[in-house]
Amino acid sequence: MKFTCLSKGSGFHFPPCHMLNFCGIRILFDCPLDLSGLMAFSPIPTSLDALLFEESNNNEKRHKIEDLLDAKSLIFAEPWYKTVNNLHLWNASLIDVILISSPMGIMGLPFLTRRKGLSAKIYVTEASARLGQLMMEDLVSMHAEFRQFYGPEESNFPPWLRQEELEILPSVLKDILLGKDGVESGGWTPMYSAADVKDCILKIDTVNYAQEVCYNGTLVIKAFSCGVEIGSCNWILDGPKGDIAYLSSSCFFSAHTMTFDYRSLQGTSSLIYSDFSSLSDAQDIEDGDNNSDPTSDTLLPLSFQDMDESSLNSDENLEEKEKLVFICSCAIECVKDGGSVLIPINRLGTILQLLEEMTTSLEASAMEVPIYIISSVAEELLALLNIIPEWLCKQRQERLFAGEPLFAHVKLQKEKKIHVVPNIHSHQLLMNWQEPCIVFCPHWSLRIGPVVHLLRRWCGDPKSLLILEDIVNPELALLPFKPVAMKVLQCLFPSGIGLQKVQPLLKTLQPKTVMFPEDLRLKTSFSCEKSFSVSYYTEAEPLKVSCQKDSSELKIAADLASQFYWKTFKKEGINVTRLKGNLLMENGRHHLLLDNNKKTSESNSSLVRCGLADYNKLLPALSEMGINASIEIVKDDVESQNVCLVHTKEPYKALIEIGNTSTVITTADANVASILYKAIDNILDGV
Amino acid sequence: MAIETLVLGAGQEVGKSCVVVNINGKRIMFDCGMHMGYTDHRRFPDFSLISPSGNFNDALSCIIITHFHLDHVGALVYFTEVCGYRGPVYMTYPTKALSPLMLEDFRKMVDRRGEEEQFTSEHIAECMKKVIAVDLKQTVQVDEDLQIRAYYAGHVIGAAMFYVKVGDAEMVYTGDYNMTPDRHLGAAQIDRLRLDLLITESTYATTIRDSKYAREREFLKAVHKCVSGGGKVLIPTFALGRAQELCILLDDYWERMNLKVPIYFSSGLTIQANMYYKMLISWTSQKIKDTYSTHSAFDFKNVHKFDKSIIDAPGPCVLFATPGMIRGGLSLEVFKHWAPSEKNLVTLPGYCVVGTVGHKLTSGKPTKIDTDPDTQIDVRCQIHQLAFSPHTDSKGIMDLVKFLSPKHVMLVHGEKPKMASLKERIHSELGIPCYTPANNETVSIPSTHYVNAEASDTFIRNCLNPNFTFQKCNSVDTCNSTLIDRNLTPELQVEDERVVDGVLVMENNKKAKIVQRDELLLMLDEKKHEV
């Protein structure tokens, strides 16, 4: 088994990407897009911006000014997208299986599926596929704005990727474009089209949670909920040589999607730990202008001694609830002051909870403030959310059984408390528009989508509020909108297993070997761990882990087994039989079934013989058959071993040479040879 | 090893489906239904046969409910709350959502009739808490050895066929299913499995149905004719399933023909049910699923709530009244009012159980019907029977049996003579042994068992070595045969029959191991002796 981490990803929107060779099958885990790369580009320029840009481009020669990073340093071009660079080192046609663990992990898939020669089976949970499709369609439609602005691309190679252009870029942007090691320029690709997305969706096979699918009869693949996003999952792969669990970012508590089903991952022989969320969580997030980060002071170490779910959930639940209440109170205060609230958040769970919390707080404070959701796919997305009870958490499912809508937005839409519109200039929005208001819209990178236009409108207003996701570099995100007078609030929600829980969790899961990220090595300690062995992996370095079993399981049908003719060897008390039947590979297990086909029945001669042909036994055996023979023992000089020659005269003439490992029959008649052959066969141990 | 099947209900009859299967030491109850034709002890399955001592928790591993019809779920509340079964109960999400509605409806009806109550509303709620909802194709590990899996059955929303595997023994219990898609549901779907036993329903064991389209048109024509003549149309149905299908059909037709005649739903139940249907849209047919974002098929435009005061109101109307089969309740009340007028129409969709008014109407052409010992009704209205049944026909059953090719077949949920003829067909046409046990009978069949062994890498690798055999067709033959034939048979036939020599070794106190011949010598520590 060989495991290569292609990318450890970063944050919720860019999950890790790995390649695994298991039982001779090459499996790719996830195909994400690094959308934070968008921040290197300028949002669609306004006419004023464009003028400035022209000016800067023509009048003064651009040169490298290290510390001066302003809106003009951004790339003014149709953005390209950053895929996992290491994935391009692989020949796509050699991938056998692609497993997508979340809607975020599908975002880069059209780049793969549009390549020629890709024949991999792609498995995605049904909910991930549908959400992923909507997210990709949204991305394509937001990107279309750029295409309209810049017109068709002139060359296949964009000028900003040229070496000389890269040289003069500020280091922050250079890091984005080339990566920390300066080798990632190959990962950039132009956007896929809506047709690519459609084509990609047609190529995937959808699965339900805990549904068994079998690849090529060899590998049984199962998905189990992981609690991060609707449809997101962990995987179990079960092959003839053992099983392996793939643990992606997982949440013990969720207010919208089905929670982490860790019990189903129990008892696999190996486990790939691929939750890097604690890596980014631990990083300090720089504060923006006026931003107050509610998480920094509420992030208390959680107690986690046992896998007691109730205490566990309530802890996380409480924390998350507190944050939501805090955000909503900020928003309410803001609209009370006459400012508007802009929420460019793409995490579904957060949006849905904020929406419900926000409307209840608005009602509580008796305010009539419109809430807009602006996105090309919002309407379909909200409709979809209400018809997938099977993928939601217990509390939401209870609503189904009680006959209530799964999410509050159904009712709110009917009551016209929230307005769902496809884009910023839709008629419906223009007719209803009213400020102050609360707007949910994509995209969190602040480079594409409706958010750009609204941010330009409100960024100078100190009364308004911007609520950001946990972006690594908010400074850069807000760069094109400087100076920013509006309040900025960054909210951070956990999207993975907390570091304190890693060890107790792994102890509960009882794998024999764990593949663990090197980056998290210092943060967790397995030194006292006896129950499993740990091997650490780093990005782009293959890790070889030995399979647990050196032989495969084979099941023999009872009706066939009853027909076996057993032969007992004198030594060691071993019973041996020859097998005859149809070998079948099904669901990762070999089966041997009774074969009724006459054609394959062959001669009864022994396959292998062993032991010594004892001439003392041969003579009586021959004489029983009416053959007279005499023995002559010759010493072989070359190999210094005894060779026994047996001469037969009556009724046939033949010479039998008996050595330690072979016996040679020399005769003129084939019939004689076969008679003698049988005689010798009988005295040897044959199978 | 054997699979023992105890039929507690729906053996050679339709009603109170309940089959208890003992499979490799696990006992599973499939369905727990009640019989609608009886009000005495025969209404429920005879649970004492499962465990004479009444300790059902030890006697059963789990209960599986296939769908929400009362003849499949009706006795569940009684069994868990009154008989005291505490173990797990599995059903699909829609079944879990809709079963309480059906049970509550039944409880109310019993209440109205003044009969003795078997269970209360609280009982229903308590019972439903014990239910574990499953999704289609999800492999649920009930315990270490017992696996169950649901497959789409089409019959009603959420109906499922259940696959069970214990050790090496595998079986499927179909519940009720439909092999052809209808207005709102898809057709039954199942994987090709290696089964020891298939227990299938056989409601229409001998019927072969024609195209659905013609029947739909016939229905619409009859309804249209009646309402344009000023008549009233009574459609007695159950709140869930048929009501929605026919309503989609009518609502659509009303739109197209621009009809203004009101369509009523008798109970809030049906309207409430539509709410569930909207959320469970992913369990309906593909066509309806595709339109979820623009317009939900269960938002009916022309449908209104019915009020008892308008029973005798003049003017045409269409009424969906519960319960089906005119078994009592509102549908019987309305029937009493509307039956004497020849302008009116009673449309009976689906199967009517013996003993109901619906059954009397469909068997022969009665002019008078006794609804109870004191009341007799003149029946002058039109009777239209809709062969709209969500059950598969005999062709569908045969197709399923043929597709799955199990080692044994068992028929339940059907009428005795028809089952006998289907049994004969399965036996003669497919060569599969078939059983039709009566209620409270036990059938035992052998089950598959595998012996486990380890296979060495060399052996497996050698199995993958291609072993081609080439067969050249005789060119003379090809010349003699016709032109078409030559195109069909390629001149060169390639067979790839991979053969490997394997040896099974059993060593004392060790697991049996399969090795390739060369490895054997190593294991035996002996030298090869060639001859």
Side-chain angles (χ1 to χ4, degrees), chain B residues 337-364:
Chain B
H337 282 88
W338 293 1
S341 164
E342 51 281 289
K343 272 204 289 186
N344 295 344
L345 171 74
V346 174
T347 297
L348 290 159
Y351 188 85
C352 290
V353 167
V354 182
T356 59
V357 176
H359 187 261
K360 286 177 199 153
L361 288 175
T362 51
S363 48

PDB file of all heavy atoms in Angstrom, chain B residues 337-364:
ATOM      1  N   HIS B 337     -75.229   8.574   0.628  1.00  0.00           N
ATOM      2  CA  HIS B 337     -75.937   9.718   0.048  1.00  0.00           C
ATOM      3  C   HIS B 337     -75.936   9.714  -1.475  1.00  0.00           C
ATOM      4  O   HIS B 337     -76.907  10.118  -2.096  1.00  0.00           O
ATOM      5  CB  HIS B 337     -75.314  11.035   0.539  1.00  0.00           C
ATOM      6  CG  HIS B 337     -75.721  11.405   1.929  1.00  0.00           C
ATOM      7  ND1 HIS B 337     -75.041  10.966   3.025  1.00  0.00           N
ATOM      8  CD2 HIS B 337     -76.753  12.157   2.393  1.00  0.00           C
ATOM      9  CE1 HIS B 337     -75.613  11.441   4.124  1.00  0.00           C
ATOM     10  NE2 HIS B 337     -76.668  12.163   3.768  1.00  0.00           N
ATOM     11  N   TRP B 338     -74.829   9.320  -2.043  1.00  0.00           N
ATOM     12  CA  TRP B 338     -74.658   9.482  -3.489  1.00  0.00           C
ATOM     13  C   TRP B 338     -75.047   8.256  -4.305  1.00  0.00           C
ATOM     14  O   TRP B 338     -75.367   8.382  -5.489  1.00  0.00           O
ATOM     15  CB  TRP B 338     -73.205   9.879  -3.830  1.00  0.00           C
ATOM     16  CG  TRP B 338     -72.835  11.249  -3.343  1.00  0.00           C
ATOM     17  CD1 TRP B 338     -73.639  12.096  -2.643  1.00  0.00           C
ATOM     18  CD2 TRP B 338     -71.586  11.925  -3.521  1.00  0.00           C
ATOM     19  NE1 TRP B 338     -72.981  13.252  -2.351  1.00  0.00           N
ATOM     20  CE2 TRP B 338     -71.713  13.189  -2.882  1.00  0.00           C
ATOM     21  CE3 TRP B 338     -70.394  11.605  -4.154  1.00  0.00           C
ATOM     22  CZ2 TRP B 338     -70.673  14.107  -2.868  1.00  0.00           C
ATOM     23  CZ3 TRP B 338     -69.361  12.527  -4.136  1.00  0.00           C
ATOM     24  CH2 TRP B 338     -69.499  13.771  -3.498  1.00  0.00           C
ATOM     25  N   ALA B 339     -75.022   7.095  -3.685  1.00  0.00           N
ATOM     26  CA  ALA B 339     -75.253   5.868  -4.447  1.00  0.00           C
ATOM     27  C   ALA B 339     -76.621   5.810  -5.134  1.00  0.00           C
ATOM     28  O   ALA B 339     -76.731   5.288  -6.249  1.00  0.00           O
ATOM     29  CB  ALA B 339     -75.050   4.651  -3.549  1.00  0.00           C
ATOM     30  N   PRO B 340     -77.680   6.299  -4.519  1.00  0.00           N
ATOM     31  CA  PRO B 340     -78.985   6.142  -5.165  1.00  0.00           C
ATOM     32  C   PRO B 340     -79.166   6.940  -6.467  1.00  0.00           C
ATOM     33  O   PRO B 340     -80.135   6.683  -7.183  1.00  0.00           O
ATOM     34  CB  PRO B 340     -79.967   6.644  -4.090  1.00  0.00           C
ATOM     35  CG  PRO B 340     -79.229   6.515  -2.808  1.00  0.00           C
ATOM     36  CD  PRO B 340     -77.810   6.812  -3.151  1.00  0.00           C
ATOM     37  N   SER B 341     -78.308   7.901  -6.771  1.00  0.00           N
ATOM     38  CA  SER B 341     -78.527   8.671  -7.997  1.00  0.00           C
ATOM     39  C   SER B 341     -77.716   8.100  -9.147  1.00  0.00           C
ATOM     40  O   SER B 341     -76.510   7.900  -9.024  1.00  0.00           O
ATOM     41  CB  SER B 341     -78.128  10.142  -7.758  1.00  0.00           C
ATOM     42  OG  SER B 341     -77.986  10.783  -9.005  1.00  0.00           O
ATOM     43  N   GLU B 342     -78.407   7.894 -10.299  1.00  0.00           N
ATOM     44  CA  GLU B 342     -77.686   7.278 -11.419  1.00  0.00           C
ATOM     45  C   GLU B 342     -76.744   8.252 -12.106  1.00  0.00           C
ATOM     46  O   GLU B 342     -75.943   7.872 -12.938  1.00  0.00           O
ATOM     47  CB  GLU B 342     -78.630   6.628 -12.439  1.00  0.00           C
ATOM     48  CG  GLU B 342     -79.780   7.457 -12.988  1.00  0.00           C
ATOM     49  CD  GLU B 342     -80.933   7.521 -12.007  1.00  0.00           C
ATOM     50  OE1 GLU B 342     -81.632   6.518 -11.798  1.00  0.00           O
ATOM     51  OE2 GLU B 342     -81.116   8.599 -11.412  1.00  0.00           O
ATOM     52  N   LYS B 343     -76.826   9.549 -11.744  1.00  0.00           N
ATOM     53  CA  LYS B 343     -75.906  10.520 -12.329  1.00  0.00           C
ATOM     54  C   LYS B 343     -74.492  10.374 -11.747  1.00  0.00           C
ATOM     55  O   LYS B 343     -73.512  10.736 -12.368  1.00  0.00           O
ATOM     56  CB  LYS B 343     -76.408  11.949 -12.028  1.00  0.00           C
ATOM     57  CG  LYS B 343     -77.374  12.484 -13.057  1.00  0.00           C
ATOM     58  CD  LYS B 343     -77.365  14.001 -13.056  1.00  0.00           C
ATOM     59  CE  LYS B 343     -78.023  14.534 -11.775  1.00  0.00           C
ATOM     60  NZ  LYS B 343     -78.165  15.998 -11.773  1.00  0.00           N
ATOM     61  N   ASN B 344     -74.445   9.883 -10.527  1.00  0.00           N
ATOM     62  CA  ASN B 344     -73.161   9.858  -9.814  1.00  0.00           C
ATOM     63  C   ASN B 344     -72.281   8.671 -10.210  1.00  0.00           C
ATOM     64  O   ASN B 344     -72.749   7.712 -10.813  1.00  0.00           O
ATOM     65  CB  ASN B 344     -73.396   9.828  -8.309  1.00  0.00           C
ATOM     66  CG  ASN B 344     -74.052  11.106  -7.837  1.00  0.00           C
ATOM     67  OD1 ASN B 344     -74.059  12.100  -8.576  1.00  0.00           O
ATOM     68  ND2 ASN B 344     -74.629  11.080  -6.666  1.00  0.00           N
ATOM     69  N   LEU B 345     -71.048   8.810  -9.815  1.00  0.00           N
ATOM     70  CA  LEU B 345     -70.072   7.781 -10.181  1.00  0.00           C
ATOM     71  C   LEU B 345     -69.240   7.407  -8.952  1.00  0.00           C
ATOM     72  O   LEU B 345     -68.822   8.276  -8.185  1.00  0.00           O
ATOM     73  CB  LEU B 345     -69.146   8.328 -11.281  1.00  0.00           C
ATOM     74  CG  LEU B 345     -67.924   7.495 -11.660  1.00  0.00           C
ATOM     75  CD1 LEU B 345     -68.338   6.277 -12.472  1.00  0.00           C
ATOM     76  CD2 LEU B 345     -66.932   8.334 -12.455  1.00  0.00           C
ATOM     77  N   VAL B 346     -69.058   6.123  -8.770  1.00  0.00           N
ATOM     78  CA  VAL B 346     -68.123   5.680  -7.728  1.00  0.00           C
ATOM     79  C   VAL B 346     -66.948   5.000  -8.418  1.00  0.00           C
ATOM     80  O   VAL B 346     -67.138   4.054  -9.180  1.00  0.00           O
ATOM     81  CB  VAL B 346     -68.788   4.705  -6.733  1.00  0.00           C
ATOM     82  CG1 VAL B 346     -67.748   4.160  -5.755  1.00  0.00           C
ATOM     83  CG2 VAL B 346     -69.904   5.397  -5.978  1.00  0.00           C
ATOM     84  N   THR B 347     -65.777   5.542  -8.206  1.00  0.00           N
ATOM     85  CA  THR B 347     -64.584   4.946  -8.821  1.00  0.00           C
ATOM     86  C   THR B 347     -63.786   4.241  -7.743  1.00  0.00           C
ATOM     87  O   THR B 347     -63.436   4.834  -6.727  1.00  0.00           O
ATOM     88  CB  THR B 347     -63.720   6.040  -9.469  1.00  0.00           C
ATOM     89  OG1 THR B 347     -64.478   6.636 -10.510  1.00  0.00           O
ATOM     90  CG2 THR B 347     -62.458   5.456 -10.053  1.00  0.00           C
ATOM     91  N   LEU B 348     -63.560   2.976  -7.983  1.00  0.00           N
ATOM     92  CA  LEU B 348     -62.831   2.193  -6.980  1.00  0.00           C
ATOM     93  C   LEU B 348     -61.432   1.868  -7.481  1.00  0.00           C
ATOM     94  O   LEU B 348     -61.254   1.017  -8.337  1.00  0.00           O
ATOM     95  CB  LEU B 348     -63.586   0.895  -6.685  1.00  0.00           C
ATOM     96  CG  LEU B 348     -64.895   1.086  -5.918  1.00  0.00           C
ATOM     97  CD1 LEU B 348     -65.799  -0.102  -6.113  1.00  0.00           C
ATOM     98  CD2 LEU B 348     -64.621   1.311  -4.443  1.00  0.00           C
ATOM     99  N   PRO B 349     -60.461   2.575  -6.978  1.00  0.00           N
ATOM    100  CA  PRO B 349     -59.108   2.252  -7.414  1.00  0.00           C
ATOM    101  C   PRO B 349     -58.522   1.161  -6.532  1.00  0.00           C
ATOM    102  O   PRO B 349     -58.633   1.210  -5.319  1.00  0.00           O
ATOM    103  CB  PRO B 349     -58.351   3.562  -7.207  1.00  0.00           C
ATOM    104  CG  PRO B 349     -59.142   4.322  -6.201  1.00  0.00           C
ATOM    105  CD  PRO B 349     -60.488   3.677  -6.033  1.00  0.00           C
ATOM    106  N   GLY B 350     -57.957   0.198  -7.178  1.00  0.00           N
ATOM    107  CA  GLY B 350     -57.203  -0.794  -6.420  1.00  0.00           C
ATOM    108  C   GLY B 350     -58.029  -1.926  -5.848  1.00  0.00           C
ATOM    109  O   GLY B 350     -59.215  -2.085  -6.104  1.00  0.00           O
ATOM    110  N   TYR B 351     -57.362  -2.675  -5.043  1.00  0.00           N
ATOM    111  CA  TYR B 351     -57.851  -3.937  -4.520  1.00  0.00           C
ATOM    112  C   TYR B 351     -58.838  -3.708  -3.381  1.00  0.00           C
ATOM    113  O   TYR B 351     -58.656  -2.820  -2.552  1.00  0.00           O
ATOM    114  CB  TYR B 351     -56.637  -4.712  -4.006  1.00  0.00           C
ATOM    115  CG  TYR B 351     -56.925  -6.123  -3.592  1.00  0.00           C
ATOM    116  CD1 TYR B 351     -56.929  -7.135  -4.542  1.00  0.00           C
ATOM    117  CD2 TYR B 351     -57.174  -6.433  -2.263  1.00  0.00           C
ATOM    118  CE1 TYR B 351     -57.188  -8.431  -4.161  1.00  0.00           C
ATOM    119  CE2 TYR B 351     -57.428  -7.727  -1.880  1.00  0.00           C
ATOM    120  CZ  TYR B 351     -57.442  -8.734  -2.840  1.00  0.00           C
ATOM    121  OH  TYR B 351     -57.692 -10.016  -2.461  1.00  0.00           O
ATOM    122  N   CYS B 352     -59.934  -4.495  -3.352  1.00  0.00           N
ATOM    123  CA  CYS B 352     -60.867  -4.398  -2.239  1.00  0.00           C
ATOM    124  C   CYS B 352     -60.917  -5.732  -1.501  1.00  0.00           C
ATOM    125  O   CYS B 352     -61.152  -6.778  -2.083  1.00  0.00           O
ATOM    126  CB  CYS B 352     -62.261  -4.036  -2.728  1.00  0.00           C
ATOM    127  SG  CYS B 352     -62.355  -2.359  -3.340  1.00  0.00           S
ATOM    128  N   VAL B 353     -60.701  -5.658  -0.199  1.00  0.00           N
ATOM    129  CA  VAL B 353     -60.664  -6.861   0.622  1.00  0.00           C
ATOM    130  C   VAL B 353     -62.075  -7.430   0.787  1.00  0.00           C
ATOM    131  O   VAL B 353     -63.057  -6.679   0.850  1.00  0.00           O
ATOM    132  CB  VAL B 353     -60.037  -6.538   1.995  1.00  0.00           C
ATOM    133  CG1 VAL B 353     -60.258  -7.652   3.001  1.00  0.00           C
ATOM    134  CG2 VAL B 353     -58.564  -6.249   1.839  1.00  0.00           C
ATOM    135  N   VAL B 354     -62.174  -8.745   0.832  1.00  0.00           N
ATOM    136  CA  VAL B 354     -63.453  -9.418   1.017  1.00  0.00           C
ATOM    137  C   VAL B 354     -64.130  -8.887   2.270  1.00  0.00           C
ATOM    138  O   VAL B 354     -63.493  -8.686   3.306  1.00  0.00           O
ATOM    139  CB  VAL B 354     -63.228 -10.948   1.152  1.00  0.00           C
ATOM    140  CG1 VAL B 354     -64.555 -11.675   1.295  1.00  0.00           C
ATOM    141  CG2 VAL B 354     -62.442 -11.472  -0.028  1.00  0.00           C
ATOM    142  N   GLY B 355     -65.423  -8.624   2.170  1.00  0.00           N
ATOM    143  CA  GLY B 355     -66.163  -8.184   3.350  1.00  0.00           C
ATOM    144  C   GLY B 355     -66.422  -6.693   3.362  1.00  0.00           C
ATOM    145  O   GLY B 355     -67.229  -6.206   4.139  1.00  0.00           O
ATOM    146  N   THR B 356     -65.782  -5.953   2.490  1.00  0.00           N
ATOM    147  CA  THR B 356     -66.017  -4.513   2.438  1.00  0.00           C
ATOM    148  C   THR B 356     -67.079  -4.214   1.386  1.00  0.00           C
ATOM    149  O   THR B 356     -67.357  -5.038   0.508  1.00  0.00           O
ATOM    150  CB  THR B 356     -64.733  -3.749   2.075  1.00  0.00           C
ATOM    151  OG1 THR B 356     -64.284  -4.206   0.800  1.00  0.00           O
ATOM    152  CG2 THR B 356     -63.653  -3.970   3.112  1.00  0.00           C
ATOM    153  N   VAL B 357     -67.666  -3.006   1.494  1.00  0.00           N
ATOM    154  CA  VAL B 357     -68.651  -2.588   0.494  1.00  0.00           C
ATOM    155  C   VAL B 357     -67.996  -2.534  -0.882  1.00  0.00           C
ATOM    156  O   VAL B 357     -68.590  -2.922  -1.889  1.00  0.00           O
ATOM    157  CB  VAL B 357     -69.241  -1.203   0.871  1.00  0.00           C
ATOM    158  CG1 VAL B 357     -70.192  -0.716  -0.212  1.00  0.00           C
ATOM    159  CG2 VAL B 357     -69.957  -1.281   2.206  1.00  0.00           C
ATOM    160  N   GLY B 358     -66.788  -2.070  -0.908  1.00  0.00           N
ATOM    161  CA  GLY B 358     -66.053  -1.968  -2.166  1.00  0.00           C
ATOM    162  C   GLY B 358     -65.976  -3.308  -2.874  1.00  0.00           C
ATOM    163  O   GLY B 358     -66.166  -3.401  -4.089  1.00  0.00           O
ATOM    164  N   HIS B 359     -65.741  -4.350  -2.121  1.00  0.00           N
ATOM    165  CA  HIS B 359     -65.640  -5.679  -2.702  1.00  0.00           C
ATOM    166  C   HIS B 359     -66.974  -6.115  -3.275  1.00  0.00           C
ATOM    167  O   HIS B 359     -67.052  -6.704  -4.354  1.00  0.00           O
ATOM    168  CB  HIS B 359     -65.148  -6.677  -1.654  1.00  0.00           C
ATOM    169  CG  HIS B 359     -64.872  -8.027  -2.216  1.00  0.00           C
ATOM    170  ND1 HIS B 359     -65.770  -9.060  -2.117  1.00  0.00           N
ATOM    171  CD2 HIS B 359     -63.806  -8.495  -2.927  1.00  0.00           C
ATOM    172  CE1 HIS B 359     -65.263 -10.125  -2.727  1.00  0.00           C
ATOM    173  NE2 HIS B 359     -64.071  -9.805  -3.223  1.00  0.00           N
ATOM    174  N   LYS B 360     -68.067  -5.785  -2.531  1.00  0.00           N
ATOM    175  CA  LYS B 360     -69.415  -6.147  -3.010  1.00  0.00           C
ATOM    176  C   LYS B 360     -69.733  -5.443  -4.316  1.00  0.00           C
ATOM    177  O   LYS B 360     -70.363  -5.995  -5.209  1.00  0.00           O
ATOM    178  CB  LYS B 360     -70.454  -5.770  -1.951  1.00  0.00           C
ATOM    179  CG  LYS B 360     -70.448  -6.723  -0.753  1.00  0.00           C
ATOM    180  CD  LYS B 360     -71.443  -6.271   0.297  1.00  0.00           C
ATOM    181  CE  LYS B 360     -71.131  -6.910   1.647  1.00  0.00           C
ATOM    182  NZ  LYS B 360     -71.591  -6.077   2.759  1.00  0.00           N
ATOM    183  N   LEU B 361     -69.282  -4.188  -4.424  1.00  0.00           N
ATOM    184  CA  LEU B 361     -69.569  -3.417  -5.637  1.00  0.00           C
ATOM    185  C   LEU B 361     -68.821  -3.974  -6.835  1.00  0.00           C
ATOM    186  O   LEU B 361     -69.316  -3.958  -7.962  1.00  0.00           O
ATOM    187  CB  LEU B 361     -69.162  -1.951  -5.446  1.00  0.00           C
ATOM    188  CG  LEU B 361     -70.036  -1.108  -4.515  1.00  0.00           C
ATOM    189  CD1 LEU B 361     -69.420   0.268  -4.351  1.00  0.00           C
ATOM    190  CD2 LEU B 361     -71.450  -0.987  -5.049  1.00  0.00           C
ATOM    191  N   THR B 362     -67.627  -4.435  -6.606  1.00  0.00           N
ATOM    192  CA  THR B 362     -66.817  -4.884  -7.732  1.00  0.00           C
ATOM    193  C   THR B 362     -67.133  -6.314  -8.138  1.00  0.00           C
ATOM    194  O   THR B 362     -66.899  -6.696  -9.279  1.00  0.00           O
ATOM    195  CB  THR B 362     -65.316  -4.791  -7.407  1.00  0.00           C
ATOM    196  OG1 THR B 362     -65.091  -5.452  -6.161  1.00  0.00           O
ATOM    197  CG2 THR B 362     -64.850  -3.367  -7.316  1.00  0.00           C
ATOM    198  N   SER B 363     -67.667  -7.101  -7.184  1.00  0.00           N
ATOM    199  CA  SER B 363     -68.015  -8.473  -7.568  1.00  0.00           C
ATOM    200  C   SER B 363     -69.488  -8.510  -7.955  1.00  0.00           C
ATOM    201  O   SER B 363     -70.380  -8.464  -7.115  1.00  0.00           O
ATOM    202  CB  SER B 363     -67.717  -9.424  -6.409  1.00  0.00           C
ATOM    203  OG  SER B 363     -68.244  -8.898  -5.215  1.00  0.00           O
ATOM    204  N   GLY B 364     -69.745  -8.530  -9.223  1.00  0.00           N
ATOM    205  CA  GLY B 364     -71.117  -8.533  -9.713  1.00  0.00           C
ATOM    206  C   GLY B 364     -71.705  -7.143  -9.759  1.00  0.00           C
ATOM    207  O   GLY B 364     -71.027  -6.159  -9.481  1.00  0.00           O
TER     208      GLY B 364
END
